[in-house]
Each structure stands twice: as structure tokens, then as C-alpha cells.
Amino acid sequence: MKITDTSDLWWKTSVVYCLDVETYLDHDGDGTGDFAGLARRIDYLADLGVTCLWLMPFYPTTDRDDGYDVTDFYGVDPRLGSHGDLVEVVRTARDRGIRVIVDLVVNHTSDRHPWFVAAKRSRPSRFRDFYVWRDEPPANNVNTVFPGEEKTLWELDEKSGQYYLHSFYRHQPDLNIANPSVRDEIAKTIGFWLQLGISGFRVDAVPFLLEVPEGADFSDPHEYLRDIRRFLRRRSREAVLLGEVNLPYRDQLTYFGGDKGEELTLQFDFIGMQALYLSLARSDPRPLAKALRARPPIAPEAQWANFVRNHDELTLDKLTDAEREEVFEAFAPDEDQRVYGRGITRRLPTMLGGDPRRIRMVYSLLFSLPGVPVLFYGEEIGMAENADIAGRMAVRTPMQWSDARNGGFSTAAPSRLPARPPEGGYGPEHVNASEQLNDEESLLHFIRRLAARYRISPEIGWGEVELLDHEAPAVLAHSLRADVGRMIAVHNFADEPTRVRLAIADEPEGTELSDLFSSERVGLGARGGFELDLAAYGWRWLRVARPGDGRLG
């Protein structure tokens, strides 16, 4: 690769930031965040080092599933603003070097969507086949996505006497992608938002999207995903598909489109995320190291997306029952901190007991693991969940901008907010962006420095990963090597200091290791050997500085 290739494949080294417009900043004082408020914070995001802004659903909605029950794929919820307000955000973000991607939620619609309203009205309706209907539900009519909330996958429409499929909530009927008219509508939706300047889509629930009704004449659903990618390329050469595919690695490789990379551009690494929490629970990096070794090679134009926390429950479904229980006991000991028997409803600071050393070590990992880092809003300041809110909504509280009323999110009465901020030690009076902006030692400044070092280290996004052997059981050491350079990251998972002896081969005489967060330089000994001292939960990023390579740091 050449350094200029990083602009062609911008997503390989992006810093992604996910937010919900409704909970980010309220400009007009009605209690709901809006695009006008978001526009006022684009400079904050640019200063943080964000290069890709991911907007959660902002479409018209009945708001029974935090916006994922869409009533109009082409609209903007009037509570949040207008198309004009959205375009102003996209334009301003682009000027600051930030691309914008949006949620594509086309596995289902709201049951209030005009298509479904028409489909229910009569069986002969042309919209009837936009959805999946059966005279009788299949024998295995059990909803495993939301156990305890939804018991069935098929819901009876009493007027027509048929059952419709809903993989999620009953108010979210599944679309039938075997119907060419549905596929055409999805393509028009994608084309519409690209025309407004959007740079891609986070594709919701991709495996559910590709589920085809039994008996349908649609033999290869992945050909449809390839078709979406081809359409995307025709309309915008830079646009990406970031897919939510919570499956084993071998299946994720299929969703990338195999060696050719013809389907999803990026995928979240759910396996790596769950292994990280098991490693944290054990103070042992081996589960994470095992996951990194198991990652399959992917096409040059594909990428992994690493994350610590997202907007859903922190799912642990790929761990064994015993492993999941270990993580629960360590980070969600109370039953009300768990959900669906598989997930955690807490943010990282409360899970780690507020230990700043451990929190910073985790974010150092996030930015130095091979792939792109994805931040959920508020992570950069150490926001916590509101434990008084049940389920997944506990982490979707208003952004804490200052110690003012409502955390500076809105001037409205607290009763009008979409949710209440947490109280106590993690409340806005103690945790807010304004205070941390003026504190060089804050978590906010630390995340900013990580993003800056990540952006000048393209080998993290482009390089091949190698786990380095050593004798320190609590340490994860990995090397990332690309044509443009090489770096080494070392992380101590234990609460006590340690010394680690490492070696790297194939480097020319005179090569040194330059610490990317200090002025220290480490010389290489015989056969490329060197030693590092790590504090409790300590970490180091080291650039391999070859004689005459001219790189900074």
C-alpha cells in the first residue's frame, strides 16, 4: 500500500462516533435533541478526532423502539428537524473532515407504515406481499431475539385471518425481500440518502434482512447483498456498508463476500468484543488473543469495526454459559443489570468500578487493535448508565455537556426529556464535557490523543496482526505491520506492575522503538529483543523507527 491509498479507502482508518440525535443536544428548548443542536457540536466532534459520524434512526417513527420502528424511510422526524437541517449537518461535518453514515433499517417497518396499513386492509392489496404472511404459524413459533418481551414470531391479524412474521417486536412486521418490489424500494431509499450527501449506512440486523420466506423463489440472498453493494458503488464510489452481523467469524466472512469483498464493507467484531470482556473479568488476555488469532483474513477493501459499548445491550451470546456467568459476576452482579439472559445494560466506567487506569487501558486497546474504533456517544467523557431505567434504554441518556440543569442538554423541564441523566457520582455535575475540555488530564483529552495517534498510524487499519510471544501471563502484545510501517502495542490486564521481554525479527540494524505517547526511545538488542516495564493496567504504543524512514514519532 501507499500512504495515499488511505484516502481512497477512507474507512480503513476512520474513527467512528455513534449518536442518537434525540439525546445529543436540544437547540430549541422543547426537551428533544435536534439537528440544529447537533450542528453546534460538529466542531467538538472534529476536535475529538472523529472522521465518521454514525446517526442512529432519525426517521418518522411511532417511537416504540427508540426510532427503529420506521413509518417513512424517506422522512426526517419533525421533532428532530427537517431535511434542510440534516443537510446542514452533513455539509458542516464534511467541511470539518467528517463523513456521515446513517442507520438503514429495512428488515422491517413499523406497523403504522403506509405499506403495512395498506397490506392489512385487504389481501388483494399490492402491498400484501411486501410482508410475510401465513394461514397458520410454523410449529416453532418462538421469539428468541427478545425473550420475556415477545413470545412469538408470528402475530395474528384478526381482520384478514392470517399471521404476519415479526423477527423483533410485533409492531415491527418483517419485509419480504423475495419480492422484487421491496428490493426496488430499498434501493430507492439508499439512493435518496446518498443524493443528500450521506456516505454510507450502518445496516441493521443483516442476517434477519437476508432471511427468505420458505418456498420463495429467491435462491441466493447473498446475491441480493452483492447487488446492494454494486448499486452503492454506482451511486457513490466512497459509500460504505457497516453491517451488524453477530455471527461466528466463518459466517461473517461470508457476509464480507469472501475473498472478493463484494458484500459488506465493514462488520462489527462481536466475537472480539465478548472475548475482551472475558479477558477483563479474568485479568487474562488469552481469550482476546484467541479471538484475534481466529479472525479470518479479509479482502483489502473490507474492515473490522471494534467497539467497547453500543446502543443495544452488551451481548455475551457467543460465550459459553460458564464464561457468560463469569462476566456477569464480574461486571453485572445484580440481576437488574442484565437483560435477555445474555446482555449487560451498563456502560464501561461502572462495570470497571470507575478505575481510570483500567478504563484507559481498554480504550488504548480499542484504538490499537487491528480495525477501526467505534465510539458510542458519551464514552469519551466516561458517561454511565441510568440504573433506574430498565433494559437497553439505560445507556441512552442525554449527553452530559456541562454541570448545568439537565447536564446542559436542554433548557426544558426535566419531565420533557427523552430520558433522565444518572444521578450521584456519574451525574452531570461530576461528569461533563465542558469541565473535561479544560482538563488536560481528563478522559476526553486522553481519547483525543488516542484518536490523533491512531490517525498517524495507518498500519493499525491496514496492517497484518502478529501476537508476540513472551512470559508475562497478564500481558497482550501485538504487532501491526504494513508497507507504510510497523507498530507494537502492549497492554497489561493485571492490577500489578510487570516487566515483559519481547522480540521482533527482520528489522535492520539501527532500528529503534519510538513511544508514541512520550519522548522515550527503546533500542533493540540481539535478535531484536527488548524489555518494557508496565504499570498496573499499563500500556504502550511503540513505533518501529527504521533508519531513514522519515516517519514522525
Side-chain angles (χ1 to χ4, degrees):
M1 63 167 290
K2 305 184 298 294
I3 195 66
T4 50
D5 293 337
T6 60
S7 61
D8 295 329
L9 304 183
W10 63 268
W11 56 89
K12 296 276 286 189
T13 51
S14 57
V15 176
V16 184
Y17 187 94
C18 170
L19 64 84
D20 185 351
V21 176
E22 182 182 19
T23 56
Y24 207 59
L25 183 64
D26 171 23
H27 175 69
D28 60 13
D30 65 355
T32 301
D34 45 46
F35 280 109
L38 173 56
R40 298 178 65 187
R41 292 293 183 261
I42 295 298
D43 285 331
Y44 165 84
L45 296 173
D47 187 56
L48 182 61
V50 172
T51 62
C52 179
L53 176 59
W54 158 24
L55 302 180
M56 291 172 63
F58 52 78
Y59 314 106
T61 174
T62 58
D63 208 23
R64 298 172 69 186
D65 185 21
D66 201 32
Y68 284 88
D69 48 332
V70 179
T71 60
D72 178 6
F73 290 131
Y74 300 104
V76 173
D77 192 307
R79 297 174 305 144
L80 310 180
S82 65
H83 285 91
D85 295 322
L86 169 63
V87 169
E88 288 292 286
V89 165
V90 173
R91 177 182 178 277
T92 305
R94 173 74 70 162
D95 179 69
R96 307 308 198 266
I98 302 173
R99 292 172 171 89
V100 178
I101 66 173
V102 302
D103 255 299
L104 184 68
V105 189
V106 289
N107 163 258
H108 54 259
T109 69
S110 165
D111 60 0
R112 307 286 180 83
H113 194 289
W115 296 345
F116 193 69
V117 172
K120 288 179 64 177
R121 191 171 293 131
S122 66
R123 290 198 186 189
S125 168
R126 76 179 186 92
F127 292 105
R128 186 75 175 182
D129 195 37
F130 272 45
Y131 300 89
V132 184
W133 301 88
R134 292 287 182 272
D135 290 329
E136 294 293 336
N140 186 26
N141 186 20
V142 178
N143 190 311
T144 58
V145 176
F146 296 127
E149 293 189 38
E150 289 287 354
K151 295 181 179 180
T152 67
L153 286 169
W154 295 84
E155 188 73 13
L156 176 64
D157 171 38
E158 295 185 357
K159 181 179 179 181
S160 66
Q162 284 190 311
Y163 293 79
Y164 64 86
L165 176 65
H166 60 92
S167 297
F168 297 92
Y169 294 109
R170 68 188 67 185
H171 57 79
Q172 293 169 329
D174 282 16
L175 285 167
N176 176 17
I177 67 158
N179 182 344
S181 296
V182 171
R183 300 198 298 273
D184 286 346
E185 290 292 341
I186 292 173
K188 285 191 288 186
T189 298
I190 292 171
F192 175 82
W193 293 111
L194 291 176
Q195 196 69 24
L196 290 187
I198 297 303
S199 295
F201 303 88
R202 177 264 185 186
V203 189
D204 186 54
V206 184
F208 292 97
L209 171 64
L210 298 193
E211 285 188 354
V212 177
E214 185 178 350
D217 183 19
F218 198 64
S219 58
D220 185 5
H222 281 273
E223 178 59 29
Y224 173 51
L225 196 52
R226 291 190 287 273
D227 190 50
I228 291 177
R229 182 72 179 271
R230 287 190 290 266
F231 177 81
L232 199 73
R233 285 172 172 167
R234 290 197 300 271
R235 294 295 178 92
S236 172
R237 296 297 298 175
E238 72 163 14
V240 299
L241 297 173
L242 168 58
E244 180 190 35
V245 183
N246 184 11
L247 293 173
Y249 282 138
R250 62 181 179 275
D251 297 314
Q252 287 194 272
L253 187 59
T254 302
Y255 281 85
F256 274 125
D259 296 337
K260 295 181 179 179
E262 296 176 330
E263 298 182 31
L264 296 172
T265 321
L266 305 97
Q267 289 185 61
F268 294 103
D269 184 3
F270 283 93
I271 303 298
M273 178 274 292
Q274 296 177 55
L276 168 62
Y277 279 95
L278 184 59
S279 283
L280 291 172
R282 293 177 175 177
S283 297
D284 181 349
R286 283 179 294 180
L288 178 56
K290 180 181 178 181
L292 289 172
R293 289 191 180 99
R295 269 189 182 182
I298 56 177
E301 294 192 2
Q303 186 58 292
W304 295 103
N306 302 311
F307 65 106
V308 170
R309 168 81 252 186
N310 62 9
H311 60 285
D312 287 326
E313 81 278 5
L314 187 73
T315 185
L316 304 171
D317 64 329
K318 296 300 182 289
L319 301 180
T320 66
D321 290 346
E323 291 170 341
R324 188 180 309 113
E325 193 59 34
E326 278 188 75
V327 179
F328 278 157
E329 287 300 318
F331 303 130
D334 298 334
E335 191 64 37
D336 59 5
Q337 296 167 343
R338 311 172 187 180
V339 66
Y340 308 136
R342 65 173 184 245
I344 295 176
T345 61
R346 310 179 78 193
R347 283 184 179 247
L348 183 71
T350 52
M351 282 192 280
L352 299 186
D355 187 334
R357 304 167 303 166
R358 212 173 180 195
I359 292 168
R360 293 180 184 218
M361 188 273 286
V362 170
Y363 285 114
S364 171
L365 265 173
L366 174 67
F367 278 85
S368 62
L369 289 174
V372 303
V374 181
L375 291 167
F376 185 49
Y377 77 95
E379 280 193 89
E380 73 274 16
I381 60 171
M383 272 176 54
E385 74 284 353
N386 184 341
D388 294 330
I389 302 174
R392 298 188 295 173
M393 297 303 293
V395 302
R396 304 184 195 180
T397 55
M399 179 66 182
Q400 295 169 199
W401 292 110
S402 72
D403 60 2
R405 185 189 192 195
N406 301 324
F409 163 74
S410 174
T411 58
S415 60
R416 299 182 66 188
L417 304 186
R420 297 289 291 273
E423 297 180 349
Y426 289 99
E429 62 271 26
H430 301 291
V431 177
N432 66 75
S434 181
E435 188 172 286
Q436 292 193 26
L437 278 170
N438 297 313
D439 179 3
E440 292 285 341
E441 301 303 315
S442 67
L443 181 61
L444 176 61
H445 277 267
F446 176 70
I447 297 292
R448 178 195 288 175
R449 289 193 293 272
L450 287 175
R453 298 301 184 271
Y454 168 85
R455 290 288 290 167
I456 64 168
S457 305
E459 53 265 49
I460 299 176
W462 286 79
E464 294 184 5
V465 64
E466 175 191 0
L467 298 181
L468 303 179
D469 294 329
H470 55 81
E471 300 299 325
V475 172
L476 177 73
H478 67 278
S479 163
L480 289 155
R481 189 202 304 242
D483 293 343
V484 294
R486 184 179 187 184
M487 70 159 286
I488 295 164
V490 187
H491 292 82
N492 181 13
F493 280 67
D495 63 354
E496 56 187 26
T498 188
R499 169 169 285 197
V500 59
R501 295 176 177 84
L502 298 162
I504 55 173
D506 306 323
E507 294 297 342
E509 185 177 350
T511 296
E512 293 181 311
L513 303 179
S514 173
D515 192 306
L516 286 170
F517 289 86
S518 76
S519 59
E520 183 181 353
R521 299 180 80 87
V522 178
L524 297 182
R527 293 186 293 277
F530 61 99
E531 294 185 2
L532 295 174
D533 289 314
L534 296 173
Y537 302 122
W539 52 272
R540 301 283 295 273
W541 289 24
L542 300 163
R543 167 148 302 138
V544 177
R546 300 168 184 132
D549 67 4
R551 295 193 69 187
L552 297 175

